[in-house]
Amino acid sequence: QMKWSMTREEKKQMVVEEMEVESEIRDWRWKQSEEMRQYVEEKEKEVQVVELQESKEFQEFKREKKVVAKEEELKYIAEVYAKDLENAE
């Protein structure tokens, strides 16, 4: 009888230990998964910030280029007009 009760207790202890190990593994996996999710989220935010900055810089470049082109066009028109006036005299 004593032997049976010891065997039963040993089996019960083994089951409890296995459950603890499984619980630890499950917690570790959840923690790893959560950390990876946070890392990916942080990286996506960083990429978005960089892309927005690059887009802003590109839009500013286009705007400046358009202004320069307009100024050059006005300068050319003024030069042509001045030459036409000289030729008309």
Side-chain angles (χ1 to χ4, degrees), residues 55-69:
S55 175
K56 181 180 178 184
E57 290 171 358
F58 180 66
Q59 295 303 323
E60 288 175 3
F61 169 77
K62 284 188 350 183
R63 194 176 309 117
E64 290 171 4
K65 187 174 179 181
K66 188 175 180 181
V67 167
V68 168

Side-chain angles (χ1 to χ4, degrees), residues 20-43:
E20 288 176 356
V21 168
E22 288 176 5
S23 177
E24 287 177 12
I25 291 173
R26 184 175 51 250
D27 291 345
W28 180 82
R29 286 178 179 161
W30 181 83
K31 184 179 176 187
Q32 293 295 316
S33 173
E34 186 65 21
E35 288 175 356
M36 181 58 80
R37 185 191 62 76
Q38 289 176 353
Y39 172 77
V40 168
E41 193 174 291
E42 186 177 310
K43 279 295 181 190

